[in-house]
Amino acid sequence: RRPRLAQAICLAQNQAAKRPSGWVVDSAAAAAAWHMDTMHAQLIHYKGERQATGEKAGNATRVGSSGRGRGRGSVSGYSAAAAMGDASKMRSLRLDSLGDRAARQRKLQCLDKLLRADGGAGLEAPILAMRPPTVQVFEAAGTARAAATSAVGRFFGGKRAREDDEALGEEDD
């Protein structure tokens, strides 16, 4: 049986929650983007999209001729079955409703139980509780990087870096 959309979204959230920082994002917009409804709304645009699968569309019970399509260029009988066997099967993307909060909770509990039954760790607690990620403002990467680069440059830069520091009026600490 193929996984359902709510379970697929939950598994994506669970992977994000396993990051070293945990179920944490850097903005309210990012927290909203990780919400089940937001993710579903993004995916729903692809509903009905068709894609080829690794399966073949042939069906041996279709061998035979109905009497129609005879003549120049028509394909019937065994050759028609062979032609069908070469064609890749197409599937339409099916996107079901996520359900109400109680239905979602049942789906997540079932998924957690399946993961644990297979010896896995199960779902992270905030995912199972359907909590949004915590918003934590991180230090700007550019500021931290500039400070580290400056310190490393002064340490490894040698005479040229010290001369530049002296020209700027900076002294060694």
Side-chain angles (χ1 to χ4, degrees), residues 125-172:
I127 304 303
L128 190 56
M130 294 192 301
R131 287 194 305 262
T134 302
V135 176
Q136 178 182 347
V137 179
F138 299 99
E139 180 180 340
T143 305
R145 188 175 297 117
T149 303
S150 175
V152 169
R154 271 185 265 138
F155 183 75
F156 289 108
K159 182 179 177 185
R160 175 67 189 204
R162 286 191 297 278
E163 289 171 354
D164 290 344
D165 286 347
E166 289 171 6
L168 295 172
E170 297 178 5
E171 299 196 16
D172 288 340

Side-chain angles (χ1 to χ4, degrees), residues 4 10 13 28 33 43 51 60 68 77-78 92 98 103 124 138 148 159 162:
R4 299 291 182 185
C10 175
Q13 291 174 331
L43 293 170
Q51 51 207 321
R68 289 179 282 142
Y78 292 106
S92 294
L98 295 176
E124 298 292 313
F138 299 99
K159 182 179 177 185
R162 286 191 297 278

Side-chain angles (χ1 to χ4, degrees), residues 78-141:
Y78 292 106
S79 59
M84 285 189 306
D86 291 338
S88 291
K89 189 171 188 176
M90 299 293 288
R91 289 198 181 265
S92 294
L93 181 61
R94 177 179 162 177
L95 296 176
D96 298 321
S97 166
L98 295 176
D100 62 7
R101 184 166 178 82
R104 292 178 191 191
Q105 190 65 54
R106 284 190 304 274
K107 291 173 186 178
L108 297 187
Q109 287 171 347
C110 180
L111 179 59
D112 183 62
K113 186 177 178 180
L114 286 171
L115 292 172
R116 290 178 191 282
D118 194 31
L123 297 173
E124 298 292 313
I127 304 303
L128 190 56
M130 294 192 301
R131 287 194 305 262
T134 302
V135 176
Q136 178 182 347
V137 179
F138 299 99
E139 180 180 340

